[in-house]
Amino acid sequence: MKRATHKGIVALQSRETSLVLDTSTPSPTVMHWGAFLGSDDLVALRAALELPVPHGGLDVVAPLSLTPEQGSGYLDSPGVEGHRPDGGGWAPRFVSSEVISTEQGARCISVDEHEQLELRSEFQMQESGVLRIRSALRNLGDIPYTVQALRITLPLPGRAVDTLTFAGRWTNEFQPHRQRLATGSLAVENRSGRTSHDRMPIAFVGTDAFSESCGEVWAVHFEWSGNSVISISSATDGRRSIQISELLFSGEIELAPGASYETPWVACAYSEAGTNGVSQAFHRELRADPSHPTAPRPVTLNIWEAVYFDHDLVRLKQLADRAAEIGVERYVVDDGWFHRRRNDRAGLGDWWVDATVWPDGLWPIVNHVTSLGMQFGLWFEPEMVNPDSDLYRHHPEWVLADPRYEPVLGRHQLVLDLANDDVRAYLFEKVDALLTEYPISYVKWDMNRALVHPSHLGRASVHAQTVALYSLLDAIRAAHPRVEIESCASGGGRIDFGILRRTERVWTSDCNDPLDRQRIQRGFSHVFPPEYMGAHIGPPKSHTTRRAHSLAFRAATAFFGHLGIEWNILDATPEEVGSLAAVIELHKRFRSLLHAGDGFRLDHPNAAVLAHAVVAQDRSEALVSMAMIDTPASLIVEPMRMRGLSDDLMYFVERLPLVAPFHGGARRQPHWLELGLQASGRMLRTVGIQPPTIDPESVLLLHLTAVSQNHASRG
Ligand code: GLA
């Protein structure tokens, strides 16, 4: 990160991006967030961007600052919304008071002396190219101040007209939505109390028809696992902006005298090279986080869809034997092992081993699994309680609800009030005891319902619940630093940087159907790197869609993520078992490339094709996946053009036979499919390579290796 300052101007720069702030305005104003500018133009920038004061408006043009002010004449959503009990303080106006350089960026402090409020804004330009921003509001007065919203506002240029956001649902997360923003605003609003399956706190805005590899893109992601709202607006005076804030319920945050409310971080990325550029910056950011896993991602077997609640030791041991035989490295006992958990109606909260099903504790299975050389993992859902549990019978008051009303159940369960210190202490003690007693290497931390009427001592409590969850996770991680944690919330209901800075994996979706997974995982990859992406090879017929797919398609789809199996492989044929072993072996060979390379989603003109690639950092090697997700509208599918290779290198391109043989359904396929092909990175980028005919719902995998310099290109 480079920093330059000049009389009321602060510039933070990474290799490709600049942020230039005018710190003389009431709260800092982003003059430029986008392409790299260098430091020569800072003064010119202010002069070049000075706004006219047109007829027909106010006599001032209010700055579109990080925290725009109603009282200064900004007529769209203000940065601060809140009030004192007497109604005062509803439109604060700040005066910039201090700019402090920090190790990674800058902190700006502004004060409203009349309303007795202090505003702090913090900017960090990361090595990854990601810009992180957060704000805090402090009550300097001697009566409470209620915060309704603290919005982080960033300007967007008028040419940023296309938006990409992610909606979805359980078992179909991360569905992309492209919309054009003309006037008014587009809001992504999540009130479910967790990151959600359907309102991801992610927004990409770009120039006309931006694609995976072309166009300018500005992207934001809110690092938060609670409620949020992201709003992209074209203001009444024509200026465009994007606002990111926590969605606070009425009265949720009341600041006592001296107290502060701090927003979660907003991670921002910009690229001139389409969505791939911003995705790579987000991926670099998580990869640089201290929590990023360093060990190769262990191939996992999760027993959930193999046995559900039917915990039979003999069968579980047989499953472990077969798993070890085919190269699995981590074996996870899912839901059903704890006190009276024979189905999903009882037991949550009673975190001790069920004595009827496991009379000798978990030792027989733990010992068996570890003696086979595999890690042992265990499922928990600590935030929840079933009314039918000892915990609820002893502590009905520990529920996150208003006791005067009948609470709404979700999957027969209620949510515990984590802001209650006793609840956190109980959960820590229970999880800690099991992690101490058994050699557990991995926790699958589930969370299977939305928060309804989340009330802590009568006050709305999603913010406090989320902060308390983070502190509970932090305490468990501090006590058990070698245990990895997976974030699961009925699949992909809690995937965001807030949780990912504390976990090593996510359960991307409860859907193991590879056809749906192709789209879900592509959506996921826009912000999150593949090594976090739990991706399991399911049974021949998906349990959530009841669609059947070949092992080749299932395996090639899971291959790029944190690979696992979720299938009763005791039912698999000897041929399938052999293929699984081969897939796992290949995955182990390639996982350092898959999980450290640069990911590229490839643009392809045919809507039936979904292609992506991983390219080694040094450009020496790449793996490409070309999935046919539908019957293509034409007999011939256009050449596939690569991204990320070096123009100056020659590559040998060959099919990676994950599960042989390859079924294509053509009278004759291009010869390169059998013989391989040598071509320059330049040619593969500009012209591409003609795909063979591929059956719908199948994948072609290619392996590219650099063989020599491309002499032609150097001349
Ligand atoms: C959730 C998870 C599943 C499984 C079940 C167990 O649905 O997403 O993977 O762990 O809970 O009840």
Side-chain angles (χ1 to χ4, degrees), residues 170 197 302 304-305 308-309 334-336 341 344 379 381 411 444 446-448 486 488-492 507 509-510 536 566:
W170 172 70
H197 293 84
N302 182 301
W304 177 240
E305 288 196 2
Y308 292 104
F309 290 104
D334 209 277
D335 195 358
R341 184 68 167 174
D344 66 7
W379 182 95
E381 197 181 358
R411 207 194 185 199
K444 176 174 173 182
D446 214 333
M447 195 286 197
N448 281 316
E486 174 180 69
C488 175
S490 304
W507 183 221
S509 175
D510 272 351
H536 293 175
E566 193 161 342

PDB file of all heavy atoms in Angstrom, residues 170 197 302 304-305 308-309 334-336 341 344 379 381 411 444 446-448 486 488-492 507 509-510 536 566, ligand 1:
ATOM      1  N   TRP A 170     -32.571 -21.886  -0.308  1.00  0.00           N
ATOM      2  CA  TRP A 170     -31.951 -23.107   0.208  1.00  0.00           C
ATOM      3  C   TRP A 170     -31.767 -24.092  -0.952  1.00  0.00           C
ATOM      4  O   TRP A 170     -32.670 -24.266  -1.765  1.00  0.00           O
ATOM      5  CB  TRP A 170     -32.869 -23.709   1.297  1.00  0.00           C
ATOM      6  CG  TRP A 170     -32.405 -25.061   1.754  1.00  0.00           C
ATOM      7  CD1 TRP A 170     -31.297 -25.337   2.498  1.00  0.00           C
ATOM      8  CD2 TRP A 170     -33.046 -26.306   1.472  1.00  0.00           C
ATOM      9  NE1 TRP A 170     -31.204 -26.696   2.690  1.00  0.00           N
ATOM     10  CE2 TRP A 170     -32.260 -27.315   2.075  1.00  0.00           C
ATOM     11  CE3 TRP A 170     -34.184 -26.678   0.771  1.00  0.00           C
ATOM     12  CZ2 TRP A 170     -32.585 -28.660   2.006  1.00  0.00           C
ATOM     13  CZ3 TRP A 170     -34.516 -28.020   0.693  1.00  0.00           C
ATOM     14  CH2 TRP A 170     -33.717 -29.002   1.317  1.00  0.00           C
ATOM     15  N   HIS A 197     -29.530 -17.248   2.542  1.00  0.00           N
ATOM     16  CA  HIS A 197     -29.356 -17.971   1.279  1.00  0.00           C
ATOM     17  C   HIS A 197     -29.720 -17.074   0.100  1.00  0.00           C
ATOM     18  O   HIS A 197     -29.406 -17.378  -1.038  1.00  0.00           O
ATOM     19  CB  HIS A 197     -30.309 -19.170   1.205  1.00  0.00           C
ATOM     20  CG  HIS A 197     -30.015 -20.257   2.185  1.00  0.00           C
ATOM     21  ND1 HIS A 197     -30.461 -20.241   3.479  1.00  0.00           N
ATOM     22  CD2 HIS A 197     -29.316 -21.402   2.053  1.00  0.00           C
ATOM     23  CE1 HIS A 197     -30.060 -21.335   4.097  1.00  0.00           C
ATOM     24  NE2 HIS A 197     -29.356 -22.056   3.259  1.00  0.00           N
ATOM     25  N   ASN A 302     -18.319 -37.025   4.612  1.00  0.00           N
ATOM     26  CA  ASN A 302     -19.328 -36.643   5.592  1.00  0.00           C
ATOM     27  C   ASN A 302     -20.441 -37.686   5.533  1.00  0.00           C
ATOM     28  O   ASN A 302     -20.947 -38.006   4.454  1.00  0.00           O
ATOM     29  CB  ASN A 302     -19.871 -35.248   5.257  1.00  0.00           C
ATOM     30  CG  ASN A 302     -20.897 -34.796   6.285  1.00  0.00           C
ATOM     31  OD1 ASN A 302     -21.910 -35.451   6.484  1.00  0.00           O
ATOM     32  ND2 ASN A 302     -20.636 -33.687   6.936  1.00  0.00           N
ATOM     33  N   TRP A 304     -23.535 -37.623   6.556  1.00  0.00           N
ATOM     34  CA  TRP A 304     -24.938 -37.203   6.660  1.00  0.00           C
ATOM     35  C   TRP A 304     -25.830 -37.907   5.643  1.00  0.00           C
ATOM     36  O   TRP A 304     -26.734 -38.654   5.994  1.00  0.00           O
ATOM     37  CB  TRP A 304     -25.017 -35.682   6.554  1.00  0.00           C
ATOM     38  CG  TRP A 304     -26.420 -35.136   6.576  1.00  0.00           C
ATOM     39  CD1 TRP A 304     -27.035 -34.401   5.611  1.00  0.00           C
ATOM     40  CD2 TRP A 304     -27.397 -35.283   7.631  1.00  0.00           C
ATOM     41  NE1 TRP A 304     -28.312 -34.078   5.986  1.00  0.00           N
ATOM     42  CE2 TRP A 304     -28.572 -34.610   7.223  1.00  0.00           C
ATOM     43  CE3 TRP A 304     -27.402 -35.931   8.871  1.00  0.00           C
ATOM     44  CZ2 TRP A 304     -29.726 -34.556   8.002  1.00  0.00           C
ATOM     45  CZ3 TRP A 304     -28.571 -35.863   9.658  1.00  0.00           C
ATOM     46  CH2 TRP A 304     -29.700 -35.194   9.217  1.00  0.00           C
ATOM     47  N   GLU A 305     -25.591 -37.709   4.368  1.00  0.00           N
ATOM     48  CA  GLU A 305     -26.503 -38.306   3.384  1.00  0.00           C
ATOM     49  C   GLU A 305     -26.291 -39.812   3.241  1.00  0.00           C
ATOM     50  O   GLU A 305     -27.067 -40.486   2.569  1.00  0.00           O
ATOM     51  CB  GLU A 305     -26.370 -37.591   2.032  1.00  0.00           C
ATOM     52  CG  GLU A 305     -26.983 -36.198   2.065  1.00  0.00           C
ATOM     53  CD  GLU A 305     -27.234 -35.596   0.684  1.00  0.00           C
ATOM     54  OE1 GLU A 305     -26.964 -36.267  -0.334  1.00  0.00           O
ATOM     55  OE2 GLU A 305     -27.711 -34.450   0.640  1.00  0.00           O
ATOM     56  N   TYR A 308     -27.852 -40.479   7.622  1.00  0.00           N
ATOM     57  CA  TYR A 308     -28.718 -39.551   8.376  1.00  0.00           C
ATOM     58  C   TYR A 308     -28.609 -39.853   9.881  1.00  0.00           C
ATOM     59  O   TYR A 308     -27.503 -39.890  10.400  1.00  0.00           O
ATOM     60  CB  TYR A 308     -30.154 -39.572   7.847  1.00  0.00           C
ATOM     61  CG  TYR A 308     -30.223 -38.966   6.445  1.00  0.00           C
ATOM     62  CD1 TYR A 308     -30.359 -39.764   5.308  1.00  0.00           C
ATOM     63  CD2 TYR A 308     -30.120 -37.590   6.261  1.00  0.00           C
ATOM     64  CE1 TYR A 308     -30.399 -39.203   4.029  1.00  0.00           C
ATOM     65  CE2 TYR A 308     -30.153 -37.021   4.988  1.00  0.00           C
ATOM     66  CZ  TYR A 308     -30.298 -37.831   3.883  1.00  0.00           C
ATOM     67  OH  TYR A 308     -30.320 -37.267   2.632  1.00  0.00           O
ATOM     68  N   PHE A 309     -29.758 -40.087  10.552  1.00  0.00           N
ATOM     69  CA  PHE A 309     -29.693 -40.252  12.019  1.00  0.00           C
ATOM     70  C   PHE A 309     -29.418 -41.703  12.442  1.00  0.00           C
ATOM     71  O   PHE A 309     -29.397 -42.010  13.630  1.00  0.00           O
ATOM     72  CB  PHE A 309     -31.009 -39.791  12.656  1.00  0.00           C
ATOM     73  CG  PHE A 309     -31.193 -38.291  12.589  1.00  0.00           C
ATOM     74  CD1 PHE A 309     -32.057 -37.709  11.681  1.00  0.00           C
ATOM     75  CD2 PHE A 309     -30.480 -37.454  13.443  1.00  0.00           C
ATOM     76  CE1 PHE A 309     -32.227 -36.341  11.626  1.00  0.00           C
ATOM     77  CE2 PHE A 309     -30.631 -36.073  13.397  1.00  0.00           C
ATOM     78  CZ  PHE A 309     -31.508 -35.509  12.481  1.00  0.00           C
ATOM     79  N   ASP A 334     -21.821 -36.459  11.384  1.00  0.00           N
ATOM     80  CA  ASP A 334     -22.747 -35.331  11.309  1.00  0.00           C
ATOM     81  C   ASP A 334     -23.787 -35.439  12.417  1.00  0.00           C
ATOM     82  O   ASP A 334     -23.592 -36.136  13.423  1.00  0.00           O
ATOM     83  CB  ASP A 334     -23.362 -35.311   9.887  1.00  0.00           C
ATOM     84  CG  ASP A 334     -23.752 -33.922   9.424  1.00  0.00           C
ATOM     85  OD1 ASP A 334     -24.860 -33.476   9.796  1.00  0.00           O
ATOM     86  OD2 ASP A 334     -22.964 -33.280   8.703  1.00  0.00           O
ATOM     87  N   ASP A 335     -24.875 -34.766  12.237  1.00  0.00           N
ATOM     88  CA  ASP A 335     -25.974 -34.694  13.203  1.00  0.00           C
ATOM     89  C   ASP A 335     -26.400 -36.090  13.683  1.00  0.00           C
ATOM     90  O   ASP A 335     -26.411 -37.041  12.906  1.00  0.00           O
ATOM     91  CB  ASP A 335     -27.145 -34.008  12.480  1.00  0.00           C
ATOM     92  CG  ASP A 335     -28.217 -33.542  13.420  1.00  0.00           C
ATOM     93  OD1 ASP A 335     -28.098 -33.776  14.636  1.00  0.00           O
ATOM     94  OD2 ASP A 335     -29.174 -32.928  12.926  1.00  0.00           O
ATOM     95  N   GLY A 336     -26.776 -36.176  14.995  1.00  0.00           N
ATOM     96  CA  GLY A 336     -27.374 -37.422  15.474  1.00  0.00           C
ATOM     97  C   GLY A 336     -26.601 -38.125  16.566  1.00  0.00           C
ATOM     98  O   GLY A 336     -27.044 -39.169  17.047  1.00  0.00           O
ATOM     99  N   ARG A 341     -30.859 -37.370  20.330  1.00  0.00           N
ATOM    100  CA  ARG A 341     -31.001 -36.819  18.980  1.00  0.00           C
ATOM    101  C   ARG A 341     -31.238 -37.973  18.014  1.00  0.00           C
ATOM    102  O   ARG A 341     -30.343 -38.349  17.234  1.00  0.00           O
ATOM    103  CB  ARG A 341     -29.722 -36.036  18.623  1.00  0.00           C
ATOM    104  CG  ARG A 341     -29.787 -35.325  17.272  1.00  0.00           C
ATOM    105  CD  ARG A 341     -30.755 -34.191  17.253  1.00  0.00           C
ATOM    106  NE  ARG A 341     -30.571 -33.358  16.067  1.00  0.00           N
ATOM    107  CZ  ARG A 341     -31.362 -32.362  15.735  1.00  0.00           C
ATOM    108  NH1 ARG A 341     -32.389 -32.028  16.499  1.00  0.00           N
ATOM    109  NH2 ARG A 341     -31.134 -31.660  14.646  1.00  0.00           N
ATOM    110  N   ASP A 344     -34.860 -34.937  14.021  1.00  0.00           N
ATOM    111  CA  ASP A 344     -34.570 -33.497  14.141  1.00  0.00           C
ATOM    112  C   ASP A 344     -35.558 -32.763  15.054  1.00  0.00           C
ATOM    113  O   ASP A 344     -35.658 -31.542  15.004  1.00  0.00           O
ATOM    114  CB  ASP A 344     -34.477 -32.845  12.753  1.00  0.00           C
ATOM    115  CG  ASP A 344     -35.798 -32.839  12.004  1.00  0.00           C
ATOM    116  OD1 ASP A 344     -36.833 -33.227  12.599  1.00  0.00           O
ATOM    117  OD2 ASP A 344     -35.803 -32.423  10.829  1.00  0.00           O
ATOM    118  N   TRP A 379     -20.127 -32.758  14.078  1.00  0.00           N
ATOM    119  CA  TRP A 379     -21.158 -31.741  13.806  1.00  0.00           C
ATOM    120  C   TRP A 379     -21.687 -31.139  15.111  1.00  0.00           C
ATOM    121  O   TRP A 379     -21.915 -31.854  16.084  1.00  0.00           O
ATOM    122  CB  TRP A 379     -22.296 -32.424  13.051  1.00  0.00           C
ATOM    123  CG  TRP A 379     -23.448 -31.550  12.615  1.00  0.00           C
ATOM    124  CD1 TRP A 379     -23.589 -30.962  11.401  1.00  0.00           C
ATOM    125  CD2 TRP A 379     -24.642 -31.234  13.344  1.00  0.00           C
ATOM    126  NE1 TRP A 379     -24.793 -30.293  11.327  1.00  0.00           N
ATOM    127  CE2 TRP A 379     -25.467 -30.437  12.518  1.00  0.00           C
ATOM    128  CE3 TRP A 379     -25.104 -31.541  14.626  1.00  0.00           C
ATOM    129  CZ2 TRP A 379     -26.706 -29.951  12.907  1.00  0.00           C
ATOM    130  CZ3 TRP A 379     -26.349 -31.045  15.023  1.00  0.00           C
ATOM    131  CH2 TRP A 379     -27.134 -30.269  14.171  1.00  0.00           C
ATOM    132  N   GLU A 381     -24.493 -27.757  16.442  1.00  0.00           N
ATOM    133  CA  GLU A 381     -25.318 -26.598  16.078  1.00  0.00           C
ATOM    134  C   GLU A 381     -25.535 -25.768  17.348  1.00  0.00           C
ATOM    135  O   GLU A 381     -26.642 -25.673  17.884  1.00  0.00           O
ATOM    136  CB  GLU A 381     -26.653 -27.044  15.457  1.00  0.00           C
ATOM    137  CG  GLU A 381     -27.314 -25.897  14.712  1.00  0.00           C
ATOM    138  CD  GLU A 381     -28.664 -26.250  14.094  1.00  0.00           C
ATOM    139  OE1 GLU A 381     -29.103 -27.413  14.205  1.00  0.00           O
ATOM    140  OE2 GLU A 381     -29.285 -25.343  13.515  1.00  0.00           O
ATOM    141  N   ARG A 411     -37.510 -25.680  11.876  1.00  0.00           N
ATOM    142  CA  ARG A 411     -36.989 -27.045  12.003  1.00  0.00           C
ATOM    143  C   ARG A 411     -37.113 -27.540  13.451  1.00  0.00           C
ATOM    144  O   ARG A 411     -36.191 -28.105  14.004  1.00  0.00           O
ATOM    145  CB  ARG A 411     -35.518 -27.112  11.550  1.00  0.00           C
ATOM    146  CG  ARG A 411     -35.107 -28.485  11.041  1.00  0.00           C
ATOM    147  CD  ARG A 411     -33.599 -28.635  10.915  1.00  0.00           C
ATOM    148  NE  ARG A 411     -33.279 -29.914  10.313  1.00  0.00           N
ATOM    149  CZ  ARG A 411     -32.102 -30.507  10.377  1.00  0.00           C
ATOM    150  NH1 ARG A 411     -31.096 -29.933  11.006  1.00  0.00           N
ATOM    151  NH2 ARG A 411     -31.895 -31.656   9.808  1.00  0.00           N
ATOM    152  N   LYS A 444     -18.006 -29.100  12.312  1.00  0.00           N
ATOM    153  CA  LYS A 444     -18.976 -28.548  11.360  1.00  0.00           C
ATOM    154  C   LYS A 444     -19.980 -27.767  12.205  1.00  0.00           C
ATOM    155  O   LYS A 444     -20.733 -28.354  12.974  1.00  0.00           O
ATOM    156  CB  LYS A 444     -19.657 -29.676  10.573  1.00  0.00           C
ATOM    157  CG  LYS A 444     -20.748 -29.172   9.632  1.00  0.00           C
ATOM    158  CD  LYS A 444     -21.276 -30.315   8.766  1.00  0.00           C
ATOM    159  CE  LYS A 444     -22.478 -29.868   7.935  1.00  0.00           C
ATOM    160  NZ  LYS A 444     -23.025 -30.955   7.125  1.00  0.00           N
ATOM    161  N   ASP A 446     -23.102 -25.732  12.482  1.00  0.00           N
ATOM    162  CA  ASP A 446     -24.316 -25.519  11.689  1.00  0.00           C
ATOM    163  C   ASP A 446     -25.196 -24.449  12.323  1.00  0.00           C
ATOM    164  O   ASP A 446     -25.020 -24.072  13.499  1.00  0.00           O
ATOM    165  CB  ASP A 446     -25.081 -26.854  11.589  1.00  0.00           C
ATOM    166  CG  ASP A 446     -25.800 -27.025  10.262  1.00  0.00           C
ATOM    167  OD1 ASP A 446     -26.156 -25.994   9.641  1.00  0.00           O
ATOM    168  OD2 ASP A 446     -26.025 -28.173   9.863  1.00  0.00           O
ATOM    169  N   MET A 447     -26.177 -23.970  11.573  1.00  0.00           N
ATOM    170  CA  MET A 447     -27.108 -22.936  12.051  1.00  0.00           C
ATOM    171  C   MET A 447     -28.308 -22.994  11.114  1.00  0.00           C
ATOM    172  O   MET A 447     -28.258 -22.460  10.017  1.00  0.00           O
ATOM    173  CB  MET A 447     -26.384 -21.592  11.966  1.00  0.00           C
ATOM    174  CG  MET A 447     -26.993 -20.443  12.705  1.00  0.00           C
ATOM    175  SD  MET A 447     -28.458 -19.794  11.906  1.00  0.00           S
ATOM    176  CE  MET A 447     -28.597 -18.236  12.712  1.00  0.00           C
ATOM    177  N   ASN A 448     -29.368 -23.673  11.586  1.00  0.00           N
ATOM    178  CA  ASN A 448     -30.396 -24.090  10.634  1.00  0.00           C
ATOM    179  C   ASN A 448     -31.712 -23.330  10.655  1.00  0.00           C
ATOM    180  O   ASN A 448     -32.737 -23.882  10.247  1.00  0.00           O
ATOM    181  CB  ASN A 448     -30.670 -25.588  10.830  1.00  0.00           C
ATOM    182  CG  ASN A 448     -29.600 -26.433  10.162  1.00  0.00           C
ATOM    183  OD1 ASN A 448     -29.206 -26.160   9.038  1.00  0.00           O
ATOM    184  ND2 ASN A 448     -29.112 -27.441  10.862  1.00  0.00           N
ATOM    185  N   GLU A 486     -15.982 -25.439  10.122  1.00  0.00           N
ATOM    186  CA  GLU A 486     -16.739 -25.193   8.890  1.00  0.00           C
ATOM    187  C   GLU A 486     -17.997 -24.402   9.240  1.00  0.00           C
ATOM    188  O   GLU A 486     -18.704 -24.735  10.188  1.00  0.00           O
ATOM    189  CB  GLU A 486     -17.159 -26.518   8.241  1.00  0.00           C
ATOM    190  CG  GLU A 486     -18.073 -26.298   7.039  1.00  0.00           C
ATOM    191  CD  GLU A 486     -18.502 -27.608   6.366  1.00  0.00           C
ATOM    192  OE1 GLU A 486     -19.280 -28.371   6.965  1.00  0.00           O
ATOM    193  OE2 GLU A 486     -18.039 -27.864   5.254  1.00  0.00           O
ATOM    194  N   CYS A 488     -21.665 -23.694   8.393  1.00  0.00           N
ATOM    195  CA  CYS A 488     -22.788 -24.256   7.641  1.00  0.00           C
ATOM    196  C   CYS A 488     -24.042 -23.596   8.185  1.00  0.00           C
ATOM    197  O   CYS A 488     -24.144 -23.345   9.383  1.00  0.00           O
ATOM    198  CB  CYS A 488     -22.833 -25.767   7.857  1.00  0.00           C
ATOM    199  SG  CYS A 488     -24.264 -26.571   7.100  1.00  0.00           S
ATOM    200  N   ALA A 489     -24.982 -23.282   7.342  1.00  0.00           N
ATOM    201  CA  ALA A 489     -26.276 -22.783   7.813  1.00  0.00           C
ATOM    202  C   ALA A 489     -27.308 -23.325   6.820  1.00  0.00           C
ATOM    203  O   ALA A 489     -27.622 -22.661   5.839  1.00  0.00           O
ATOM    204  CB  ALA A 489     -26.298 -21.264   7.875  1.00  0.00           C
ATOM    205  N   SER A 490     -27.747 -24.557   7.056  1.00  0.00           N
ATOM    206  CA  SER A 490     -28.556 -25.268   6.047  1.00  0.00           C
ATOM    207  C   SER A 490     -27.869 -25.124   4.704  1.00  0.00           C
ATOM    208  O   SER A 490     -28.461 -24.661   3.724  1.00  0.00           O
ATOM    209  CB  SER A 490     -29.973 -24.710   5.966  1.00  0.00           C
ATOM    210  OG  SER A 490     -30.594 -24.741   7.220  1.00  0.00           O
ATOM    211  N   GLY A 491     -26.624 -25.473   4.628  1.00  0.00           N
ATOM    212  CA  GLY A 491     -25.825 -25.207   3.423  1.00  0.00           C
ATOM    213  C   GLY A 491     -25.310 -23.781   3.491  1.00  0.00           C
ATOM    214  O   GLY A 491     -24.739 -23.360   4.488  1.00  0.00           O
ATOM    215  N   GLY A 492     -25.569 -23.024   2.420  1.00  0.00           N
ATOM    216  CA  GLY A 492     -24.897 -21.734   2.248  1.00  0.00           C
ATOM    217  C   GLY A 492     -25.557 -20.526   2.885  1.00  0.00           C
ATOM    218  O   GLY A 492     -25.459 -19.433   2.348  1.00  0.00           O
ATOM    219  N   TRP A 507     -19.964 -24.947   4.157  1.00  0.00           N
ATOM    220  CA  TRP A 507     -20.769 -25.923   3.441  1.00  0.00           C
ATOM    221  C   TRP A 507     -21.589 -25.102   2.446  1.00  0.00           C
ATOM    222  O   TRP A 507     -22.548 -24.430   2.800  1.00  0.00           O
ATOM    223  CB  TRP A 507     -21.620 -26.752   4.393  1.00  0.00           C
ATOM    224  CG  TRP A 507     -22.399 -27.819   3.678  1.00  0.00           C
ATOM    225  CD1 TRP A 507     -23.683 -28.194   3.916  1.00  0.00           C
ATOM    226  CD2 TRP A 507     -21.936 -28.658   2.599  1.00  0.00           C
ATOM    227  NE1 TRP A 507     -24.046 -29.205   3.050  1.00  0.00           N
ATOM    228  CE2 TRP A 507     -23.000 -29.507   2.227  1.00  0.00           C
ATOM    229  CE3 TRP A 507     -20.725 -28.762   1.904  1.00  0.00           C
ATOM    230  CZ2 TRP A 507     -22.895 -30.439   1.194  1.00  0.00           C
ATOM    231  CZ3 TRP A 507     -20.616 -29.682   0.866  1.00  0.00           C
ATOM    232  CH2 TRP A 507     -21.694 -30.518   0.528  1.00  0.00           C
ATOM    233  N   SER A 509     -23.623 -25.526  -0.025  1.00  0.00           N
ATOM    234  CA  SER A 509     -25.049 -25.741  -0.287  1.00  0.00           C
ATOM    235  C   SER A 509     -25.413 -27.142   0.150  1.00  0.00           C
ATOM    236  O   SER A 509     -24.592 -28.057   0.041  1.00  0.00           O
ATOM    237  CB  SER A 509     -25.321 -25.601  -1.788  1.00  0.00           C
ATOM    238  OG  SER A 509     -26.665 -25.922  -2.062  1.00  0.00           O
ATOM    239  N   ASP A 510     -26.651 -27.323   0.595  1.00  0.00           N
ATOM    240  CA  ASP A 510     -27.121 -28.685   0.886  1.00  0.00           C
ATOM    241  C   ASP A 510     -27.364 -29.463  -0.398  1.00  0.00           C
ATOM    242  O   ASP A 510     -27.724 -30.638  -0.356  1.00  0.00           O
ATOM    243  CB  ASP A 510     -28.426 -28.631   1.699  1.00  0.00           C
ATOM    244  CG  ASP A 510     -28.152 -28.556   3.195  1.00  0.00           C
ATOM    245  OD1 ASP A 510     -26.991 -28.722   3.591  1.00  0.00           O
ATOM    246  OD2 ASP A 510     -29.107 -28.331   3.968  1.00  0.00           O
ATOM    247  N   HIS A 536     -18.999 -31.750  -2.395  1.00  0.00           N
ATOM    248  CA  HIS A 536     -19.025 -33.204  -2.176  1.00  0.00           C
ATOM    249  C   HIS A 536     -19.558 -33.962  -3.383  1.00  0.00           C
ATOM    250  O   HIS A 536     -20.486 -33.503  -4.047  1.00  0.00           O
ATOM    251  CB  HIS A 536     -19.920 -33.541  -0.968  1.00  0.00           C
ATOM    252  CG  HIS A 536     -19.354 -33.039   0.330  1.00  0.00           C
ATOM    253  ND1 HIS A 536     -20.020 -33.132   1.528  1.00  0.00           N
ATOM    254  CD2 HIS A 536     -18.173 -32.429   0.615  1.00  0.00           C
ATOM    255  CE1 HIS A 536     -19.281 -32.604   2.496  1.00  0.00           C
ATOM    256  NE2 HIS A 536     -18.155 -32.170   1.968  1.00  0.00           N
ATOM    257  N   GLU A 566     -20.214 -37.406  -0.033  1.00  0.00           N
ATOM    258  CA  GLU A 566     -21.375 -37.514   0.851  1.00  0.00           C
ATOM    259  C   GLU A 566     -22.338 -38.499   0.198  1.00  0.00           C
ATOM    260  O   GLU A 566     -23.262 -38.122  -0.508  1.00  0.00           O
ATOM    261  CB  GLU A 566     -22.010 -36.130   1.048  1.00  0.00           C
ATOM    262  CG  GLU A 566     -23.007 -36.130   2.193  1.00  0.00           C
ATOM    263  CD  GLU A 566     -23.319 -34.752   2.728  1.00  0.00           C
ATOM    264  OE1 GLU A 566     -22.539 -33.815   2.465  1.00  0.00           O
ATOM    265  OE2 GLU A 566     -24.354 -34.610   3.406  1.00  0.00           O
TER     266      GLU A 566
HETATM  267  C1  GLA B   1     -28.153 -29.019   7.847  1.00  0.00           C
HETATM  268  C2  GLA B   1     -26.843 -29.126   7.102  1.00  0.00           C
HETATM  269  C3  GLA B   1     -26.662 -30.536   6.601  1.00  0.00           C
HETATM  270  C4  GLA B   1     -26.704 -31.493   7.769  1.00  0.00           C
HETATM  271  C5  GLA B   1     -27.995 -31.319   8.544  1.00  0.00           C
HETATM  272  C6  GLA B   1     -27.992 -32.136   9.804  1.00  0.00           C
HETATM  273  O1  GLA B   1     -29.228 -29.157   6.996  1.00  0.00           O
HETATM  274  O2  GLA B   1     -26.801 -28.203   6.062  1.00  0.00           O
HETATM  275  O3  GLA B   1     -25.441 -30.659   5.909  1.00  0.00           O
HETATM  276  O4  GLA B   1     -25.603 -31.269   8.605  1.00  0.00           O
HETATM  277  O5  GLA B   1     -28.205 -29.965   8.894  1.00  0.00           O
HETATM  278  O6  GLA B   1     -29.155 -31.996  10.514  1.00  0.00           O
END
